[in-house]
Amino acid sequence: MMVNWKETQSQILSGKLSVFEVVSNYIKQCRNIESLNAYIEIFEEEALERAQQLDEKYKNQIHTPGRLFGMVISIKDNLNFKGHSITAGSSILKGYKSIYNATAIQRLLDEDAIIIGRTNCDEFAMGSGTDTSCYGPTRNGDNTTLVPGGSSGGAAVSVQMNTCMLALGSDTGGSVRQPASFCNVIGMKPSYGRISRYGLIAYASSFDQIGLLSKDSNAIAEVLEVIAGHDPYDPTSSPLPFDHYGSESTPEKYNFAYFKASIDHPSLSRESKKLFEGKITELMNEGHSVEAIEFDYLDYLVPTYYILTTAEASSNLSRYDGVRYGHRSTEVTDVESLYKKSRSEGFGTEVKRRIILGTFVLSEGYFDAYYKKAQASRRLIKEAIDNVFTQYDFILMPSTPHPAWTIGSFVNDPVTMYLSDIYTVLANLSGIPAVSIPYDTKSGLGFQVMAAYMQEKKLLHFLNNILIMA
């Protein structure tokens, strides 16, 4: 299967390949990996019909093809695609079909992309292993006994196993970058507000961001440019333009910072630390400046993140009440039992745990002690990060503290699972863009590069350069 976007589109435009052939090959590969449970649904007939229509539309070169003409994309099961089922991996939404397109989906379709299917994810994006889904766990394509990461694990595996050119996921606290690391692909979380969240099922609204996974940095850049930009349906989307990226390599040498505390942290495995230190040496040998700096808030990141996100989740998920849409219990006698039974039957264990925690931190008597302190902590963290970017181009961090774990390992140990987010939640707390890049094709580990707010173009240029040199 071809993983180079520019080469693929060039062959399609030159007539050496048809869109129908490209889509057919990807669908065949989707069928080959069904045992991994990466896809909840493959849009086989629809994707082939759209491919045929696109081939027919442009065969006489009367019309100009869209920028994503021929690109095959998978979407996470929390992005609305009109006329298609969407459940966010939860029984509470089984049977529900979307009545509109998410803004990001509409912009893909407007530029002639083909959506091949919806991918499995942790229920309501709450999890780190894609093992809380009501459809069962997704398996890592490199080792089927291991998790692929989460919550966008299905998206990561869809790219890992060459069933699409690019996948759209969502990243609330690392849900694109962590699975990208475990599956040896590139995973990018743009700045908060860079991409409209309209049509993305909310977990924590001030943290959620649509993210992109691929093996090709040019595909990520092209799709980001298409779907980025202000959206009148989303008041949190940024009016700042995303300038044309271009594919030129740039000769600049950059100033990197990394946190001393991050590589001395007890949760960082020996293998992860060795690889990270090797990457620092490699960057310095290439002429970049890499400096260790102090950062006093590392141990506050995970508590701050989980207090705030669970609070927001408690509020956001209150709409799933068995009345308006989704699962409704039949064994009820009054309105109160309708709410209780519908939610108890529809939500899984992890979602219930986070709703309860979020309700607790928002409750009278605990609001000041937890929620307000977490908000203050978030502000201090953001100020500290903004200050780092006045002196450095990028921040380097490991993507994950340790390699992928065996499926089911953390079922009874959620705290350990939460702590696996220690290196990814920083970007969401501060709203900055970050990308996870594989160290190699074997480790199942990656490193992160973070840039200042709305500096995706700079990040993409570095990404393109480092992959060329690799």
Side-chain angles (χ1 to χ4, degrees), residues 224-239:
L224 178 59
E225 193 169 337
V226 165
I227 64 177
H230 180 65
D231 175 17
Y233 292 115
D234 177 10
T236 66
S237 62
S238 173

Side-chain angles (χ1 to χ4, degrees), residues 264-324:
D264 293 330
H265 200 272
S267 68
L268 185 66
S269 71
R270 185 177 301 176
E271 181 183 6
S272 295
K273 183 175 182 178
K274 181 179 179 181
L275 286 166
F276 187 72
E277 290 175 335
K279 180 55 64 176
I280 290 173
T281 301
E282 183 182 321
L283 289 169
M284 293 177 70
N285 290 340
E286 290 165 1
H288 301 287
S289 169
V290 185
E291 294 183 32
I293 63 172
E294 299 293 338
F295 182 70
D296 298 329
Y297 302 111
L298 189 68
D299 287 331
Y300 295 91
L301 298 179
V302 172
T304 300
Y305 169 80
Y306 275 98
I307 288 171
L308 296 178
T309 57
T310 56
E312 293 186 25
S314 172
S315 175
N316 281 331
L317 270 62
S318 64
R319 71 192 69 177
Y320 304 104
D321 53 16
V323 176
R324 286 164 285 190

Side-chain angles (χ1 to χ4, degrees), residues 149-427:
S151 62
S152 305
V157 175
S158 74
V159 172
Q160 176 192 38
M161 302 308 291
N162 300 318
T163 67
C164 58
M165 179 64 68
L166 179 139
L168 286 191
S170 66
D171 193 311
T172 307
S175 289
V176 161
R177 290 161 288 146
Q178 184 248 31
S181 175
F182 287 173
C183 294
N184 289 306
V185 300
I186 303 165
M188 183 177 191
K189 182 205 87 73
S191 301
Y192 183 78
R194 176 61 85 185
I195 301 171
S196 170
R197 292 184 296 108
Y198 179 71
L200 170 68
I201 291 179
Y203 163 16
S205 302
S206 72
F207 291 80
D208 296 339
Q209 187 55 234
I210 292 172
L212 308 93
L213 301 102
S214 183
K215 293 182 178 179
D216 182 0
S217 59
N218 286 314
I220 289 176
E222 192 78 14
V223 172
L224 178 59
E225 193 169 337
V226 165
I227 64 177
H230 180 65
D231 175 17
Y233 292 115
D234 177 10
T236 66
S237 62
S238 173
L240 295 174
F242 181 61
D243 298 329
H244 179 64
Y245 163 66
S247 60
E248 71 275 16
S249 59
T250 51
E252 307 111 86
K253 300 302 178 185
Y254 296 106
N255 294 320
F256 291 88
Y258 71 92
F259 304 138
K260 292 178 184 177
S262 69
I263 63 168
D264 293 330
H265 200 272
S267 68
L268 185 66
S269 71
R270 185 177 301 176
E271 181 183 6
S272 295
K273 183 175 182 178
K274 181 179 179 181
L275 286 166
F276 187 72
E277 290 175 335
K279 180 55 64 176
I280 290 173
T281 301
E282 183 182 321
L283 289 169
M284 293 177 70
N285 290 340
E286 290 165 1
H288 301 287
S289 169
V290 185
E291 294 183 32
I293 63 172
E294 299 293 338
F295 182 70
D296 298 329
Y297 302 111
L298 189 68
D299 287 331
Y300 295 91
L301 298 179
V302 172
T304 300
Y305 169 80
Y306 275 98
I307 288 171
L308 296 178
T309 57
T310 56
E312 293 186 25
S314 172
S315 175
N316 281 331
L317 270 62
S318 64
R319 71 192 69 177
Y320 304 104
D321 53 16
V323 176
R324 286 164 285 190
Y325 47 76
H327 172 73
R328 178 182 296 179
S329 178
T330 56
E331 300 177 6
V332 297
T333 56
D334 52 38
V335 174
E336 184 176 348
S337 64
L338 171 65
Y339 288 165
K340 287 181 177 179
K341 286 184 176 291
S342 296
R343 288 168 66 83
S344 295
E345 293 168 4
F347 288 135
T349 301
E350 184 59 33
V351 172
K352 291 174 185 174
R353 179 184 289 122
R354 298 194 193 196
I355 290 174
I356 292 169
L357 177 58
T359 304
F360 172 78
V361 301
L362 289 175
S363 62
E364 187 177 359
Y366 296 98
F367 183 84
D368 289 343
Y370 293 101
Y371 185 77
K372 284 186 70 174
K373 283 186 178 179
Q375 287 284 37
S377 176
R378 185 180 192 180
R379 178 179 55 80
L380 290 172
I381 290 165
K382 186 180 186 311
E383 289 174 354
I385 294 303
D386 288 343
N387 184 58
V388 171
F389 287 122
T390 63
Q391 304 170 65
Y392 299 93
D393 296 302
F394 299 117
I395 294 173
L396 280 176
M397 290 185 84
S399 296
T400 60
H402 44 69
W405 55 87
T406 304
I407 293 172
S409 296
F410 293 163
V411 170
N412 298 314
D413 188 6
V415 174
T416 301
M417 180 181 72
Y418 298 163
L419 289 172
S420 70
D421 296 333
I422 187 168
Y423 296 124
T424 51
V425 297
L426 174 62

Side-chain angles (χ1 to χ4, degrees), residues 43-51 81-82 84 114-115:
F43 308 140
E44 182 171 349
E45 290 185 12
E46 180 182 343
L48 289 171
E49 183 179 345
R50 178 167 171 80
F81 186 14
K82 187 176 181 179
H84 299 78
I114 301 99
I115 297 175

Side-chain angles (χ1 to χ4, degrees), residues 54-127:
L54 289 173
D55 282 329
E56 187 67 25
K57 181 178 180 180
Y58 298 115
K59 73 176 183 180
N60 296 320
Q61 299 181 344
I62 297 173
H63 305 282
T64 302
R67 290 180 59 180
L68 303 180
F69 176 56
M71 184 178 285
V72 178
I73 296 174
S74 71
I75 60 172
K76 187 176 179 178
D77 184 38
N78 62 354
L79 284 160
N80 279 275
F81 186 14
K82 187 176 181 179
H84 299 78
S85 295
I86 177 171
T87 66
S90 179
S91 294
I92 207 162
L93 275 174
K94 277 192 174 179
Y96 177 74
K97 286 194 174 183
S98 177
I99 59 173
Y100 69 103
N101 283 328
T103 297
I105 298 297
Q106 188 60 56
R107 290 177 179 177
L108 293 177
L109 297 174
D110 290 344
E111 293 294 339
D112 294 334
I114 301 99
I115 297 175
I116 197 169
R118 58 187 177 111
T119 55
N120 199 15
C121 61
D122 282 301
E123 186 179 8
F124 283 101
M126 298 182 191

